[in-house]
Amino acid sequence: MKNKLNSKVDVRQAAELIRNSGSMIAFTGAGISVESGIPPFRGPEGLWSRYDPQCLDLDFFHSHPKESWTAIKAIFYDFFGKAEFNQAHRVLADFEAKGLLKALVTQNIDNLHQMAGSKNVLEFHGNSQKMICPVCDRLYLPNEVDLNKLPPRCIHDGEVLKPDFVFFGEGIPENAYRKSLLAARMTDLVLVIGTTGEVMPAAMIPTEAKRAGATIIEINTEPSNYTHRITDIYLEGKASEVLLELEVLI
């Protein structure tokens, strides 16, 4: 679907809602990072068209750590590690700095929201730019690990390090899950940005907010599972372009 020109009335109404909100949150997915050169996992151009998703299966990772880490290094450290935040990430960070955005729930694991300056980021699926020892829980940053020797191991106990994000077969981090649900139930306005609403249980966050009475503003390049079900204002386009337009009005 080609981008259409959004109604000025819709854009102005969305800007007014943001300006007058007392507890706005954002819910972001892979679409917000596409402009930073990070492809989504799903779809014809997605990462799973190039790599076997088995590399992120928890059981496979534990039984074939070197094979899994070869793909993980290529995707998340050689590739993701070079990505830079874009204007969409920057605008959300500015909304937070101005007190307009109270929390940011993201499905993304690329760390770009934090790089842009966002502070209250609830990482539903973890963060690829951290690694953790499954035995002693010591955290490592990528520059603290020699990824030329795979699989990388903890300097304390020699265990294979695991990227600190959710693998297939692994539960959502309890703290992020609880805080995300709480934010959804307390908000009056949700910016849904760059997500199809297909990945569960993350996809329930905007629905939970709607159930609690929140207004939903959706920014996507094409309709999602939310558009005709819970969205109040749908703004079609790239995340950065739409958010920049809103920022000017706010």
Side-chain angles (χ1 to χ4, degrees):
M1 177 181 290
K2 293 182 179 179
N3 290 355
K4 63 180 178 58
L5 186 64
N6 290 304
S7 160
K8 289 183 179 180
V9 173
D10 285 344
V11 176
R12 280 200 295 265
Q13 185 182 359
E16 185 175 357
L17 285 166
I18 294 171
R19 197 164 49 241
N20 295 327
S21 169
S23 54
M24 180 176 72
I25 68 171
F27 178 72
T28 66
I32 197 170
S33 294
V34 168
E35 294 174 72
S36 292
I38 296 179
F41 285 94
R42 293 164 176 79
E45 301 299 320
L47 288 168
W48 296 149
S49 67
R50 286 178 259 169
Y51 298 95
D52 187 345
Q54 182 176 238
C55 70
L56 296 186
D57 177 87
L58 193 60
D59 289 337
F60 184 84
F61 175 80
H62 287 312
S63 58
H64 301 83
K66 186 171 184 179
E67 189 174 339
S68 285
W69 258 108
T70 300
I72 288 168
K73 177 180 181 290
I75 298 170
F76 298 105
Y77 301 101
D78 295 345
F79 186 30
F80 275 35
K82 296 182 176 65
E84 297 181 355
F85 67 85
N86 61 54
Q87 289 286 4
H89 298 104
R90 195 270 307 160
V91 171
L92 290 179
D94 285 354
F95 281 174
E96 181 185 10
K98 292 173 182 175
L100 295 170
L101 187 67
K102 305 304 181 185
L104 196 162
V105 181
T106 186
Q107 301 169 83
N108 299 338
I109 60 174
D110 52 36
N111 201 50
L112 295 182
H113 283 301
Q114 290 92 329
M115 289 172 63
S118 290
K119 306 295 184 189
N120 191 18
V121 182
L122 302 176
E123 296 175 309
F124 211 85
H125 295 140
N127 189 320
S128 67
Q129 298 308 301
K130 296 175 185 175
M131 303 171 209
I132 189 167
C133 173
V135 173
C136 70
D137 290 333
R138 179 186 171 96
L139 285 171
Y140 294 81
L141 298 176
N143 62 7
E144 297 173 331
V145 177
D146 183 1
L147 290 176
N148 292 314
K149 297 178 181 178
L150 298 179
R153 295 182 180 274
C154 178
I155 60 173
H156 291 286
D157 50 43
E159 288 293 324
V160 173
L161 298 180
K162 175 188 172 294
D164 196 24
F165 57 77
V166 177
F167 278 48
F168 299 122
E170 190 173 21
I172 302 300
E174 184 179 346
N175 194 43
Y177 186 81
R178 178 176 51 80
K179 287 185 175 180
S180 297
L181 279 178
L182 182 62
R185 290 166 181 163
M186 294 181 65
T187 188
D188 60 0
L189 180 65
V190 184
L191 294 180
V192 173
I193 306 170
T195 178
T196 59
E198 295 176 359
V199 179
M200 292 295 287
M204 65 186 279
I205 297 300
T207 303
E208 192 70 23
K210 184 69 174 180
R211 188 178 293 123
T215 299
I216 310 296
I217 298 173
E218 179 183 350
I219 300 171
N220 262 323
T221 55
E222 56 186 44
S224 71
N225 286 355
Y226 302 117
T227 309
H228 304 296
R229 190 166 54 84
I230 65 169
T231 296
D232 295 292
I233 298 177
Y234 176 64
L235 301 177
E236 185 177 317
K238 293 180 178 179
S240 63
E241 293 174 358
V242 176
L243 284 169
L244 284 168
E245 192 175 358
L246 288 170
E247 184 181 38
V248 169
L249 295 173
I250 295 165

